[in-house]
Amino acid sequence: MCELFGMSSRLPATVNLSMAEFARHGGLTAPHGDGWGIAFFDGADVRLLKEPEPAADSPWIAFVRDRGIRSPLAISHIRLATHGGRTLANTQPFSREMGGRMHVFAHNGFFDGAEALEPGPFRPVGETDSELAFCHLLARLQPLWMTGGPPPPPAAILPVVADVAGRLAGMGPANFLYSDGRTLFAHSDRRRGPDGVIVPPGLHVLTRQCPAADDAARGAGLKVDAGGQSVVLLASRPLSGEPWRALDEGTVLAVSDGAILEAVRRDPVREIPGAAPVP
């Protein structure tokens, strides 16, 4: 299965993707060699870099590290293909514009019966079940964003994300990260373990308070500019020896400016007609 990494910080930070760890999972120490990508938010827009090649030996990983792109919010993904070929269109994270902002989504898992998801006016560019799930989520969120007023608050978005998470979890492992550039939403479900059994946790979280740049979560691949930094990191597997916390199955988080705004349980899992039972 794929792996996810996300970061939210109070001050812009450079994330090296643990250039020593997360990237290694992309084809070196783990078999996720079918592509990788990272999205750095900058206000309403996003810098998106992805390629259908292993992250472990990609020169672009060194570029990301050496370029030192600073952002308060980032989403990254390394891929082990289960649906769709090894192409750029099938490489995550996925992005779309809605309501004058870029929205980004990355998923770890698989869905049986994804064709039952309604994409509304959004259409997949590639062939993956993950991108179809993103289109469905955007369709559900669209009424909140197309009112002509200000962007909806996180408190209005979170129940929709939790409801969609419940539906997706009825089709298979549904770990995902989603953001509108202001708030990072995360759903922790289940993952396939080394023994092939699908069990929780689907995501782990690490929160850091950095009083000075010299204490800047280096073990997790993070560098900050100044003191007073707050950081929340999310990953499929812990990326350092620090005390990452496993999230319970069905947990949905709303994270902004390096702090967890709210943690809720997703809506009950709803089985989708025609979907195969999850092993």
Side-chain angles (χ1 to χ4, degrees):
M1 297 173 72
C2 308
E3 289 193 22
L4 303 172
F5 174 80
M7 182 273 292
S8 170
S9 62
R10 189 178 72 85
L11 302 173
T14 61
V15 179
N16 291 332
L17 290 183
S18 171
M19 291 300 165
E21 188 59 33
F22 189 67
R24 286 194 187 111
H25 297 186
L28 184 60
T29 61
H32 312 95
D34 295 319
W36 72 278
I38 182 167
F40 292 101
F41 278 95
D42 186 347
D45 210 344
V46 67
R47 292 182 175 94
L48 179 61
L49 175 64
K50 59 182 185 177
E51 60 175 345
E53 305 293 339
D57 56 7
S58 171
W60 287 104
I61 290 289
F63 171 81
V64 171
R65 179 194 63 211
D66 297 340
R67 181 67 177 83
I69 301 171
R70 288 173 169 79
S71 173
L73 201 159
I75 292 176
S76 186
H77 181 275
I78 50 177
R79 186 181 186 222
L80 179 63
T82 55
H83 289 77
R86 187 168 156 176
T87 66
L88 183 63
N90 291 333
T91 304
Q92 303 186 47
F94 302 116
S95 64
R96 295 288 193 283
E97 179 277 333
M98 183 169 67
R101 299 188 69 91
M102 294 302 295
H103 298 246
V104 171
F105 178 90
H107 164 245
N108 156 230
F110 59 85
F111 299 129
D112 290 313
E115 62 276 2
L117 297 172
E118 306 85 5
F122 304 94
R123 292 293 182 270
V125 176
E127 311 160 287
T128 66
D129 50 355
S130 300
E131 190 180 14
L132 185 56
F134 179 35
C135 292
H136 174 71
L137 174 61
L138 290 178
R140 290 289 311 277
L141 291 170
Q142 187 181 36
L144 297 177
W145 281 91
M146 305 308 288
T147 63
I157 296 173
L158 184 60
V160 179
V161 173
D163 182 70
V164 171
R167 185 173 194 195
L168 295 178
M171 308 170 77
N175 308 292
F176 64 79
L177 301 175
Y178 157 72
S179 182
D180 58 14
R182 305 170 306 156
T183 307
L184 176 61
F185 297 91
H187 174 232
S188 179
D189 192 22
R190 301 150 289 159
R191 277 180 51 80
R192 191 188 301 278
D195 57 0
V197 179
I198 297 174
V199 294
L203 285 174
H204 296 76
V205 63
L206 175 67
T207 58
R208 291 296 305 268
Q209 302 294 321
C210 305
D214 289 342
D215 184 36
R218 290 193 181 107
L222 181 72
K223 180 182 177 183
V224 300
D225 295 327
Q229 176 72 300
S230 300
V231 181
V232 175
L233 303 176
L234 291 151
S236 299
R237 295 192 289 165
L239 298 176
S240 66
E242 296 169 280
W244 292 75
R245 176 171 59 91
L247 292 174
D248 292 338
E249 179 181 349
T251 300
V252 184
L253 299 181
V255 184
S256 182
D257 295 328
I260 297 175
L261 301 179
E262 190 171 357
V264 300
R265 299 287 294 177
R266 69 173 177 228
D267 285 12
V269 171
R270 288 173 286 155
E271 299 295 336
I272 306 301
V278 177

